[in-house]
Amino acid sequence: MVQKAKILLVDDRPENLLALEAILSALDQTLVRASSGEEALKALLTDDFAVILLDVQMPGMDGFETAAHIKRRERTRDIPIIFLTAINHGPHHTFRGYAAGAVDYISKPFDPWVLRAKVSVFVELYMKNCQLREQAALLRLQLEGSGHTGAQQEKEPAGLLAELSARLAAVEEQAEALSKQLDDESADAAAVATAAHLERKLTGLRRALDALEPGTGGASAVLPS
């Protein structure tokens, strides 16, 4: 069973949270509510999220301050943030949003289809990264658990290596399709950059897997983090 990605929705108005849930329910992912910046930061302490939808105008800790806290934490600094705002103060206001670490800045009322499409891209990237980490973890376990003699090391991992290669090929195919989709849709630069980073990690994992083939000195392979 594929684990669902979590999407964090941050807004102090319950009706706005309800509207976001209605728009994003079609993605069939786990939607988590937070009614303040403080509540959002608390949720981020224990759970991993694919993307954060963050309202700018909130009492107390506003969206800019919340984003600054998120980007200062090593655990959460790479989570994409999409700012949502009901007002537009011009280029300076938008620049402040991007300076705070947002990958996108959307003014209300927004097009539900556009918002859903943008969120779905980051969910897909998150899922691909999760798959990549799982493959790397399996490879590390195999390296740590395999025998120390050459003959035994060549015999035992063969089946697992073939299975890992097949799984990695599936992830590579999906990542390539996603990259083509981003190019076709002239997607946000941040999404394109994230996809490119994922492809580089996949290339590194493929090289590490190839290095584990018998006769290639597999024990010295370096796996991507």
Side-chain angles (χ1 to χ4, degrees):
M1 179 179 295
V2 178
Q3 187 174 3
K4 294 183 178 182
K6 291 183 178 179
I7 302 170
L8 183 58
L9 314 177
V10 189
D11 198 304
D12 63 299
R13 300 172 66 94
E15 62 270 25
N16 290 343
L17 292 171
L18 187 63
L20 288 173
E21 287 176 339
I23 293 170
L24 300 176
S25 60
L27 298 179
D28 193 28
Q29 304 300 326
T30 301
L31 306 178
V32 178
R33 283 188 175 200
S35 57
S36 66
E38 292 84 357
E39 191 174 331
L41 294 176
K42 185 176 180 180
L44 288 162
L45 287 174
T46 54
D47 290 324
D48 294 323
F49 292 90
V51 62
I52 302 169
L53 272 63
L54 180 57
D55 183 41
V56 172
Q57 289 82 33
M58 294 187 295
M61 184 185 296
D62 66 12
F64 296 131
E65 187 178 354
T66 303
H69 282 289
I70 293 171
K71 293 303 177 181
R72 279 199 292 265
R73 293 179 179 176
E74 184 175 356
R75 174 189 172 93
T76 58
R77 64 178 56 168
D78 294 326
I79 302 176
I81 298 174
I82 298 177
F83 271 137
L84 305 176
T85 178
I87 57 176
N88 188 354
H89 291 301
H92 177 74
H93 197 254
T94 303
F95 174 78
R96 187 182 176 192
Y98 288 118
V103 297
D104 210 338
Y105 197 100
I106 303 178
S107 298
K108 304 174 186 176
F110 43 76
D111 185 325
W113 187 91
V114 171
L115 179 63
R116 188 163 52 241
K118 289 177 179 291
V119 171
S120 68
V121 168
F122 290 107
V123 168
E124 285 189 66
L125 291 171
Y126 173 81
M127 299 299 284
K128 299 299 182 296
N129 270 301
C130 287
Q131 289 179 298
L132 181 57
R133 286 195 296 268
E134 289 174 2
Q135 306 304 333
L138 283 173
L139 281 173
R140 288 192 178 94
L141 286 174
Q142 179 57 43
L143 282 174
E144 294 169 359
S146 60
H148 296 289
T149 64
Q152 184 180 13
Q153 192 170 8
E154 287 185 11
K155 181 179 179 181
E156 291 182 356
L160 180 59
L161 286 175
E163 180 182 353
L164 287 175
S165 181
R167 290 186 182 183
L168 181 57
V171 178
E172 288 171 331
E173 183 178 351
Q174 293 171 353
E176 183 180 358
L178 180 58
S179 295
K180 289 181 179 178
Q181 178 185 348
L182 290 174
D183 290 339
D184 293 341
E185 296 177 356
S186 300
D188 298 329
V192 174
T194 304
H197 177 65
L198 174 61
E199 287 191 342
R200 287 194 297 271
K201 293 174 71 174
L202 282 169
T203 300
L205 186 55
R206 171 59 68 185
R207 289 174 179 168
L209 184 60
D210 291 342
L212 290 175
E213 292 294 334
T216 59
S220 61
V222 179
L223 301 181
S225 58

